[in-house]
Amino acid sequence: MRGLTEANLRTLAGSRSFERGLGYLDAVSGVEVGDGWVTASVHGTERYEVELTLDGPGGLAGECDCPYGLEGNFCKHLVALGLTVLTQRESLPQQRKAARERAQNLDGWLSALSKDELLALLREQIDEDRQLRRRLELRAASARGDLAAVRSRIRELLDIGPFAQYGYVEYADARAYADQAGQAVFAIGALTGSGRPADAIPLAREAMRLLAEAMESVDDADGWIGQTGADLAEAHLDACRAARPDPEELARWLVGHALGGTDDGLTGIDPLDYKDVLGEEGMATLRKLAVEAWRGNRRGWAEKYLMERLAKAGGDIDALIAVHAADLSPNGHTHLVIARELDAAGRSDEALSWAERGIRDVRDLAAVDTALVDHLCERYAQAGRLADAVAVRRDHFGARRSLLAYQQLRAAAQTADCWPAERGGALALLRADAERRQRGRYGGPVLVDALLDDKDFDAAWQAATQTGAHDRQWHTLADQARATRPADALTVYLRLAEPLTKQTGNTVYEQLVALLLNIRDCHRRLGTEEEFALHVTTLRTAQKRKRNLMRLMDEHGL
């Protein structure tokens, strides 16, 4: 109980859910205390079942079947139950003791029943609980080896019909469907455990197909069906390890499953996980079939991925390079992947050649994978080929002409001790763009941003005056010029502030007040404080109905 406190409830839920939980205290009913847990129903939009674990390995925890709780969150319903339990703190030890005694009494009573009495009790429960009856029917069919019955029951369990009102399983019902599908996985595993793994293999494969088909009509945002698919794949692998099927047949099935496209990654089967089952003969067949499939469709994603896995597993770097080289991306990304693989294999000269080829093969350097440019320049720098690094950066900047490309060119040129010469050419390109009114990604000429980044503020101001600039750039220019050119900065601030006076909203008010503080600083530097006082008085008169703005100005002494 030490972990159950208001503070811990607030920490787990967050302030918003905690405060909302306070409004649900009267909605808690049916509180049941167990040994280390408490359950109840909480009536909200619907009735939700909640459970608090009081002293688990991770401390206080809880589960709720409301949508927010199913996402793994500690919801308002759990807060309401926790606060309700806290009001019963004094009686809780006695309730937990009573729960332990009830469990012990039940266990003792069941142990004392005869076989016939236990069967009668079980039959009574089967009559009342349809799901329990179906689970036991499936286990019985598995135990007696009735494959037809097991197959029929598995198909029923994987049918989405009972959970789909309009042919689709909604998010709220996905977990219930996954729990039912999990019974099919259990049945397949039970066949293997009872000494019939050869029968479990085809059932597992059929279940994979049915689950993949069902997945197309299920909102599996939380991954419950995905986990069931992974469990099903594990059951198939266990059955194969126990049954030792024909290695060539298994290899053909694995390749077909990997390339069929129907699974869509649901089971996550990796053919290499079956290496011990396949043996040398099966692995040879697997490689042969994979190569044939890849040669028939060198650009197929599944074919390439399977070939990559086999090549990496076998340490065949040349086969891996051949797979990548058969489908080179136009932006140079594949060249980069090949270069990195060769670098990892210690073949640095070949890696460098592939990186250089990537730059040559790209038709438009503006669209090149920038990671390839970075990789090549890094390798040039390591080899002491600084001039080559500058040349690559120069070409890339010439094609892209962004601030980042300018910064990267500057860094390379400074390392090579040739920045003054490079800078002139780069700025000439940016000046031509500015004169053609070409803007950067965030508005305004890149020329102004580049000069600002160079801390050449006078040149940046002159460029902005000549070619124009974005308000963001003018603001930065004014901030930099305020100490030495307060009159120029004041003109900019007043222009930027004027449209804000016609807008509303706290964000706008914060921006306006920040500008007013800068305007005040400029007037102080110019010795025109009285002019600023008149400006503020006029502004207050015109904006007096904006109470939040008035409050914010008061806070800053405006």
Side-chain angles (χ1 to χ4, degrees):
M1 277 295 295
R2 287 177 296 179
L4 181 57
T5 64
E6 284 195 21
N8 283 346
L9 288 172
R10 183 183 291 274
T11 298
L12 287 170
S15 297
R16 186 168 183 268
S17 289
F18 182 85
E19 295 299 331
R20 296 181 69 185
L22 294 174
Y24 281 79
L25 297 180
D26 294 336
V28 179
S29 65
V31 177
E32 182 178 350
V33 179
D35 187 14
W37 52 265
V38 181
T39 62
S41 298
V42 180
H43 297 263
T45 308
E46 300 178 13
R47 189 182 74 173
Y48 300 114
E49 300 301 321
V50 296
E51 178 176 339
L52 278 175
T53 303
L54 301 179
D55 46 13
L60 179 65
E63 293 183 359
C64 177
D65 61 1
C66 72
Y68 189 61
L70 288 175
E71 293 178 357
N73 300 298
F74 199 93
C75 65
K76 60 189 177 184
H77 308 113
L78 287 166
V79 171
L81 176 56
L83 294 174
T84 299
V85 172
L86 284 175
T87 64
Q88 305 171 6
R89 177 184 292 274
E90 294 183 359
S91 65
L92 201 60
Q94 290 77 16
Q95 293 184 62
R96 294 181 67 175
K97 180 180 179 182
R100 285 194 294 268
E101 291 176 352
R102 290 195 302 272
Q104 292 169 358
N105 292 337
L106 177 60
D107 185 64
W109 176 68
L110 289 172
S111 299
L113 293 177
S114 67
K115 175 182 177 181
D116 290 339
E117 290 172 326
L118 283 171
L119 286 173
L121 179 62
L122 184 57
R123 291 190 183 103
E124 179 183 335
Q125 295 302 310
I126 289 174
D127 290 339
E128 296 177 357
D129 189 337
R130 184 172 61 176
Q131 291 299 326
L132 175 60
R133 174 173 57 79
R134 289 179 173 176
R135 288 197 298 270
L136 293 179
E137 285 174 349
L138 182 56
R139 292 194 184 189
S142 299
R144 68 175 181 270
D146 188 347
L147 291 181
V150 173
R151 176 175 284 108
S152 176
R153 185 72 186 106
I154 286 176
R155 288 174 177 172
E156 291 179 7
L157 290 170
L158 296 175
D159 179 18
I160 66 170
F163 301 89
Q165 293 183 355
Y166 305 102
Y168 189 83
V169 180
E170 301 292 344
Y171 170 82
D173 298 316
R175 184 172 184 179
Y177 171 71
D179 289 341
Q180 178 173 293
Q183 297 174 34
V185 180
F186 177 85
I188 293 168
L191 275 176
T192 299
S194 63
R196 305 192 62 175
D199 294 329
I201 292 173
L203 287 177
R205 294 178 183 178
E206 182 177 3
M208 289 179 197
R209 177 180 59 79
L210 294 173
L211 189 63
E213 292 174 359
M215 182 66 174
E216 297 178 1
S217 302
V218 180
D219 182 353
D220 191 37
D222 286 338
W224 298 110
I225 312 302
Q227 182 58 53
T228 302
D231 294 341
L232 187 54
E234 189 66 27
H236 179 263
L237 178 57
D238 289 342
C240 289
R241 283 174 172 160
R244 294 287 165 175
D246 178 73
E248 290 192 6
E249 186 281 329
L250 177 59
R252 282 192 291 272
W253 182 85
L254 288 169
V255 172
H257 183 80
L259 304 183
T262 56
D263 185 271
D264 197 25
L266 176 63
T267 57
I269 285 181
D270 185 346
L272 293 179
D273 288 341
Y274 291 76
K275 186 176 181 179
D276 59 325
V277 182
L278 291 166
E280 292 184 6
E281 180 184 357
M283 285 300 296
T285 301
L286 184 69
R287 283 190 286 269
K288 176 177 176 293
L289 293 173
V291 170
E292 290 176 354
W294 173 68
R295 286 176 176 170
N297 184 17
R298 292 177 185 264
R299 294 189 174 184
W301 182 90
E303 287 81 358
K304 288 194 298 182
Y305 180 73
L306 181 56
M307 281 294 294
E308 287 175 30
R309 292 285 294 118
L310 289 170
K312 286 185 177 181
D316 191 344
I317 184 67
D318 291 318
L320 182 61
I321 299 310
V323 172
H324 290 307
D327 185 25
L328 296 171
S329 58
N331 70 344
H333 174 73
T334 317
H335 299 77
L336 174 62
V337 172
I338 293 173
R340 286 173 172 169
E341 293 287 355
L342 288 167
D343 267 329
R347 294 160 62 172
S348 56
D349 289 343
E350 294 174 73
L352 182 60
S353 295
W354 269 102
E356 291 174 328
R357 175 181 167 182
I359 296 295
R360 291 195 304 270
D361 288 353
V362 173
R363 295 179 180 179
D364 181 8
L365 272 179
V368 71
D369 185 344
T370 56
L372 173 61
V373 177
D374 295 340
H375 177 88
L376 181 57
C377 290
E378 182 180 341
R379 292 298 179 272
Y380 279 152
Q382 291 173 352
R385 296 171 58 179
L386 302 182
D388 290 332
V390 171
V392 172
R393 292 296 188 189
R394 182 193 307 124
D395 291 342
H396 187 226
F397 169 76
R400 182 160 289 196
R401 295 209 283 281
S402 65
L403 176 61
L404 177 59
Y406 180 84
Q407 293 168 331
Q408 292 170 329
L409 172 61
R410 182 179 62 200
Q414 286 175 338
T415 301
D417 199 24
C418 61
W419 176 230
E422 291 293 335
R423 182 174 187 258
L427 290 177
L429 288 175
L430 293 180
R431 188 167 287 106
D433 287 345
E435 291 172 353
R436 290 194 297 268
R437 295 296 189 267
Q438 291 189 12
R439 297 293 184 251
R441 181 176 179 182
Y442 301 104
V446 178
L447 173 64
V448 175
D449 287 330
L451 291 169
L452 283 170
D453 201 64
D454 282 342
K455 294 184 171 38
D456 192 347
F457 302 124
D458 289 337
W461 189 284
Q462 182 179 2
T465 302
Q466 293 174 345
T467 65
H470 189 273
D471 283 349
R472 169 188 59 82
Q473 295 172 320
W474 275 118
H475 198 158
T476 303
L477 286 165
D479 288 344
Q480 296 297 334
R482 192 167 68 234
T484 57
R485 302 167 63 175
D488 290 334
L490 177 60
T491 301
V492 173
Y493 290 139
L494 288 171
R495 182 180 62 79
L496 295 177
E498 196 278 331
L500 296 179
T501 62
K502 300 175 183 178
Q503 302 175 37
T504 59
N506 289 336
T507 300
V508 171
Y509 300 155
E510 290 171 2
Q511 295 172 356
L512 179 56
V513 167
L515 286 170
L516 288 172
L517 292 174
N518 290 336
I519 291 170
R520 182 175 64 183
D521 184 53
C522 290
H523 277 293
R524 285 176 175 172
R525 294 177 185 276
L526 293 168
T528 54
E529 289 91 337
E530 291 183 1
E531 184 177 336
F532 175 70
L534 178 60
H535 176 75
V536 169
T537 300
T538 303
L539 181 65
R540 277 183 168 277
T541 301
Q543 306 289 321
K544 61 183 178 182
R545 294 190 178 184
K546 298 177 180 177
R547 296 181 180 179
N548 285 351
L549 174 59
M550 295 298 102
R551 176 185 54 78
L552 201 59
M553 291 178 68
D554 289 339
E555 290 176 359
H556 288 83
L558 294 171

